[in-house]
Amino acid sequence: FDKKEISREELAHTEDAVTKLLISELSKCGISIIGDGGMRRDSVYDITRNIDGCGGFKQLTRIPKTNHFHRQPEALFPLARKAPLLGRDRVFAKEHIKKPYALCLPGPYTTALQTKNCDGVGRLKLAYAYAKILNEEIRFLLKDGALFVRVEEPSMLDEPENAILFRSILSHLTSGIDPSRIALATWFDSIGQWYDYFNLPFGIFFVDFVEERENVEALRNFPAKKILIAGILDARHPYEEESKDLALLVSEIEKYVPRERLLL
């Protein structure tokens, strides 16, 4: 498409075909909750292309601690959500997934950091603006049929000294929404450095037990009514983990979180 060798319609057809194939494979292998595939996006931050006031998208930059790249937006206030941010992937997922499905959005602070002129406009001002827009999108997605919405906010683990600030930003993000249907996802760093981490305004927590095995100990204070989704597979490498090693890890997690509130 970039070389102008196929049309926009042909590209969309290909994206549909690949997304349908992925959804089919996930369904066949027994996964109980399925995502939308995200085949139309460079990364999770691509939703900014549908925010009024975001433009640019020219400079390709690496997403920290990953091998993924995306084209950064530039923000010009005021920012506004005039239409659903997830667009075609969400519609296509609803049409082809026969199981419960979850959708994924970037967190407001991490999205602010991934905005090219973040420091020029003020990262806190930008984070609160994104929080308002993402709150509107989460409300829409839950009403539209998503089982829950996963919010990816890995950058917060780099700044445990700003815990009070993050609680304020995330409270704006989740304001007025049933917390049991919103999930917070972080990775690559320890959550043990955070006081009261599991009392953030979410009912579901994605926790990385691959890079940070010590996160198991942080589960000692896991709240009785919340859900844990445990990351136990190293998705960045092609090898297959030994079943006995995975079983041992899960047994350690189950010391603190009962099976009925644990997803893998």
Side-chain angles (χ1 to χ4, degrees):
F1 177 73
D2 286 342
K3 294 178 181 178
K4 302 188 181 348
E5 294 174 354
I6 62 172
S7 66
R8 170 66 68 182
E9 291 72 23
E10 289 172 308
L11 176 61
H13 176 78
T14 303
E15 290 169 337
D16 283 351
V18 177
T19 305
K20 189 174 181 179
L21 174 63
L22 176 61
I23 289 172
S24 173
E25 289 183 344
L26 292 173
S27 298
K28 288 177 182 177
C29 73
I31 290 178
S32 56
I33 302 170
I34 297 176
D36 65 8
M39 292 299 174
R40 293 165 182 81
R41 304 190 290 279
D42 290 339
S43 77
V44 68
Y45 306 107
D46 248 23
I47 58 106
T48 53
R49 293 174 182 265
N50 295 326
I51 294 177
D52 276 19
C54 284
F57 303 105
K58 295 179 180 179
Q59 180 173 321
L60 200 64
T61 188
R62 178 173 174 265
I63 298 173
K65 303 180 183 179
T66 75
N67 291 323
H68 292 269
F69 290 77
H70 76 115
R71 291 177 174 86
Q72 288 181 295
E74 292 185 59
L76 179 65
F77 284 89
L79 303 181
R81 171 188 176 275
K82 295 293 181 64
L85 302 181
L86 286 184
R88 177 67 181 137
D89 271 320
R90 172 191 59 81
V91 174
F92 197 80
K94 286 182 62 177
E95 292 173 351
H96 292 89
I97 294 176
K98 306 305 179 186
K99 296 185 176 184
Y101 67 92
L103 296 171
C104 183
L105 293 170
Y109 188 76
T110 304
T111 305
L113 293 185
Q114 290 301 307
T115 301
K116 186 177 179 181
N117 60 336
C118 170
D119 290 325
V121 300
R123 66 175 61 182
L124 293 184
K125 178 181 179 181
L126 198 51
Y128 279 110
Y130 282 141
K132 178 180 183 297
I133 290 169
L134 291 167
N135 176 280
E136 295 171 3
E137 182 72 3
I138 292 171
R139 290 171 183 265
F140 168 76
L141 294 174
L142 294 178
K143 186 177 180 180
D144 199 45
L147 181 65
F148 66 84
V149 175
R150 162 182 160 128
V151 177
E152 298 191 359
E153 193 68 285
S155 294
M156 63 182 286
L157 295 188
D158 294 332
E159 303 178 28
E161 68 278 9
N162 290 324
I164 295 176
L165 173 63
F166 281 112
R167 181 174 293 278
S168 174
I169 294 172
L170 295 174
S171 294
H172 277 73
L173 172 75
T174 59
S175 176
I177 305 174
D178 178 3
S180 70
R181 299 184 67 191
I182 320 175
L184 176 64
T186 55
W187 51 83
F188 297 153
D189 287 297
S190 171
I191 60 174
Q193 59 189 331
W194 276 71
Y195 171 73
D196 228 15
Y197 181 84
F198 292 118
N199 283 321
L200 287 167
F202 299 85
I204 307 170
F205 290 86
F206 281 76
V207 177
D208 173 9
F209 296 102
V210 175
E211 287 287 315
E212 291 294 338
R213 192 70 172 251
E214 66 185 56
N215 280 337
V216 173
E217 291 301 312
L219 298 176
R220 290 180 180 275
N221 300 314
F222 195 78
K225 295 183 179 181
K226 297 194 176 185
I227 300 293
L228 175 70
I229 302 184
I232 63 171
L233 294 175
D234 191 343
R236 294 185 296 170
H237 296 283
Y239 59 77
E240 183 176 358
E241 284 87 346
E242 293 288 338
S243 296
K244 59 181 177 58
D245 295 332
L246 295 177
L248 177 61
L249 175 56
V250 173
S251 69
E252 293 176 3
I253 294 170
E254 282 189 310
K255 291 178 183 177
Y256 306 111
V257 182
R259 186 166 298 187
E260 63 269 19
R261 292 191 288 114
L262 176 64
L263 296 172
L264 304 178

